[in-house]
Amino acid sequence: MAPPDSFTFDVLMSYLLVGAALMVLGMLGFLARRNLIVMFLSTEMMIQGTALTLVGFGRYHGNWTGQVFTIVILTVAACEASIALALILILFHRCSSLDVTLWQDIREPGQPPALVSLEESEAEPVEAFAGPESYPHLTPAGIEPAHPTLPWTERRD
Amino acid sequence: MDTRTQSDLMLAIVVVVLGAAGTYLLLPHRHGVAKPRTMHIAGAILAGLGLLLFDMFWRPPGPFLTSLFFYAFSLAAVAGGLLMITTRNPIYSALWFASVVLSTSGLFLLSGAQFLAAGTVIVYAGAIIVTFLFVIMLAQMEGRATYDRAARSPFAATMSCFVLFWGLLYSLFLVKPPASVATGPNPAPPAAAMADASPNATRAPLTRTQDLGPGSVALARDLASRPTAQLNDAQGRPKPHVAGLGETLYTDHLVSVELAGTLLFVALIGAVAIATPKRPIRPGNREAAAPSPTVAPNA
């Protein structure tokens, strides 16, 4: 059976290539990033790549199956988003941080723990923004003046 | 394996090497003594070159305007994905993810899936807004936290993912169009069809759904070959979009729809049960710790 219209094999191949690229980039983000929110977004991007592949296949074969499958995937993605964001909320409340390394106690048995101090030393150095952050720090001189004792919300002068 | 496949595979190696090098330089980690900005510029140039070479694999899908939109959406999707995983600030990550979602919806539109394009935008717009709220609520440091500036073993992750990418490209380039498309708008030349029958079976032809043999895929073939599951009706005219999609959704895939609804309900209950704030168990609080004596008190 011929393709229904101008959606040829070459076009299908283009869709598959873009879907493969999105899938691989999402997997890289999930493996390499440590921020829980970015990891969640990376899984969503993997799902996008897969959905693109399915829609391309469905159109090429001339039936609705790919789109039906993508609708189911969309449902699963919505469920995953709700549960993942609830989990991120709970994990943040426990540790006050979005770092996934803090939860390495639940890793697979036999895996060596990631050293937080080592990861700290491998972090990218912070570049100070132009402005007050990049001003030089001067040594304070003289006697420290008396600070106002009232909080600023109650001061009237 | 003909010359086009060989040149494609060589180009794929170049694309994978350029993309891996650029992505590794763009990922947040310490680059020795080099300044981060220099490394980022070098990584952006390498990854951009890889992306430009990668789009040489794509074939324009039709007339000029369609091809223009296809290239724009595909480039925006892949570049947005690359920037999403490499930017430090989670807010920018969410913004680039929005660009990925919009581009994917555009590609859905170009492949004739209007309902899915609208559905994707609606579902993911909500998801992205909620993600924005979370970022604003939880991550106050605007990409300056340690965990945003340090990737987890970036070299190994880049290597494994791009080796997987090369494997995907290799397997895609080894697929050849089915020989039975001779009546289609892009007929395969008979010589190629004859070459398919040769014992050189490294390029397996893509099988059409209707041509699948009996066996484990019989159920899928039967489902996909029903008249309700076709994009066109018996006269070969395209069905009205949402009507056709709803027809196949509620005749062939009714159980899947019910299962999806049940899954949404279960996920709703689970999310509420997870995210409801519970009173913390203090050491002196007897009645909070009493109902579950087997659980160790989490002081």
Side-chain angles (χ1 to χ4, degrees):
Chain A
M1 178 185 156
D5 46 8
S6 63
F7 202 87
T8 58
F9 182 79
D10 285 337
V11 184
L12 169 71
M13 192 59 84
S14 313
Y15 274 79
L16 297 187
L17 289 171
V18 176
L22 280 184
M23 162 88 194
V24 166
L25 284 177
M27 183 176 151
L28 177 57
F30 187 79
L31 288 180
R33 294 304 300 269
R34 288 169 58 192
N35 194 325
L36 282 172
I37 292 178
V38 180
M39 288 172 73
F40 159 68
L41 289 179
S42 300
T43 57
E44 298 286 329
M45 193 160 74
M46 290 166 75
I47 289 175
Q48 291 280 308
T50 316
L52 205 55
T53 305
L54 285 171
V55 168
F57 266 129
R59 172 73 183 272
Y60 179 70
H61 286 292
N63 52 43
W64 294 104
T65 315
Q67 297 191 30
V68 171
F69 212 122
T70 310
I71 288 176
V72 176
I73 283 184
L74 216 57
T75 315
V76 176
C79 299
E80 180 230 331
S82 66
I83 292 190
L85 289 176
L87 269 179
I88 288 176
L89 195 65
I90 288 302
L91 297 184
F92 184 82
H93 276 282
R94 294 238 176 132
C95 272
S96 299
S97 169
L98 289 173
D99 190 0
V100 76
T101 310
L102 295 177
W103 297 96
Q104 60 176 336
D105 291 344
I106 54 175
R107 68 186 180 276
E108 199 178 341
Q111 292 294 316
L115 295 174
V116 178
S117 58
L118 184 68
E119 295 194 339
E120 175 80 34
S121 71
E122 282 174 355
E124 193 174 79
V126 179
E127 284 188 43
F129 292 123
E133 257 187 48
S134 61
Y135 289 167
H137 289 284
L138 301 179
T139 316
I143 302 170
E144 194 173 1
H147 293 293
T149 52
L150 278 176
W152 64 272
T153 49
E154 299 172 14
R155 289 202 332 244
R156 290 290 178 268
D157 47 349
Chain B
M1 194 179 296
D2 54 2
T3 54
R4 185 183 150 188
T5 310
Q6 277 181 348
S7 63
D8 273 354
L9 285 178
M10 299 303 282
L11 193 56
I13 292 176
V14 178
V15 165
V16 166
V17 168
L18 278 178
T23 315
Y24 174 71
L25 290 181
L26 278 174
L27 276 177
H29 59 101
R30 183 181 287 276
H31 302 283
V33 293
K35 284 181 69 176
R37 183 162 297 262
T38 322
M39 285 294 136
H40 296 165
I41 292 172
I45 290 173
L46 285 180
L49 269 179
L51 186 54
L52 281 183
L53 285 180
F54 181 56
D55 71 16
M56 290 171 61
F57 294 134
W58 306 339
R59 303 280 174 254
F64 173 71
L65 206 56
T66 316
S67 304
L68 185 71
F69 275 114
F70 174 78
Y71 274 94
F73 285 141
S74 306
L75 281 175
V78 181
L82 186 65
L83 286 166
M84 189 203 98
I85 63 166
T86 54
T87 184
R88 276 75 175 148
N89 196 336
I91 286 189
Y92 291 160
S93 279
L95 274 178
W96 286 119
F97 181 68
S99 111
V100 172
V101 167
L102 287 180
S103 313
T104 315
S105 310
L107 288 176
F108 283 167
L109 266 185
L110 284 183
S111 64
Q114 294 95 326
F115 178 76
L116 270 182
T120 307
V121 168
I122 290 169
V123 169
Y124 281 100
I128 289 170
I129 288 172
V130 175
T131 311
F132 261 123
L133 285 182
F134 270 73
V135 171
I136 293 168
M137 192 165 59
L138 304 183
Q140 294 97 354
M141 300 183 63
E142 294 174 354
R144 323 199 87 201
T146 308
Y147 54 87
D148 274 332
R149 289 183 289 114
R152 177 191 295 282
S153 53
F155 185 74
T158 314
M159 271 300 132
S160 52
C161 289
F162 275 87
V163 166
L164 170 69
F165 187 40
W166 190 81
L168 285 175
L169 289 182
Y170 185 83
S171 51
L172 280 181
F173 288 144
L174 286 192
V175 176
K176 65 181 175 186
S180 59
V181 237
T183 57
N186 188 16
M194 292 303 286
D196 296 347
S198 67
N200 183 11
T202 53
R203 295 188 69 191
L206 184 65
T207 315
R208 295 218 154 261
T209 314
Q210 290 81 6
D211 303 333
L212 286 174
S216 58
V217 292
L219 178 66
R221 182 199 56 195
D222 292 343
L223 268 181
S225 305
R226 291 183 189 171
T228 51
Q230 303 304 313
L231 284 178
N232 297 337
D233 55 10
Q235 283 80 37
R237 293 186 305 255
K239 293 177 184 172
H241 183 76
V242 179
L245 186 57
E247 185 188 10
T248 184
L249 201 57
Y250 288 104
T251 53
D252 304 331
H253 303 279
L254 188 59
V255 181
S256 310
V257 173
E258 297 295 335
L259 275 181
T262 314
L263 186 64
L264 274 175
F265 186 56
V266 170
L268 170 73
I269 294 177
V272 170
I274 290 173
T276 310
K278 300 174 187 64
R279 180 177 299 172
I281 300 174
R282 305 279 180 220
N285 194 355
R286 289 288 172 201
E287 70 256 25
S292 60
T294 56
V295 180
N298 191 8

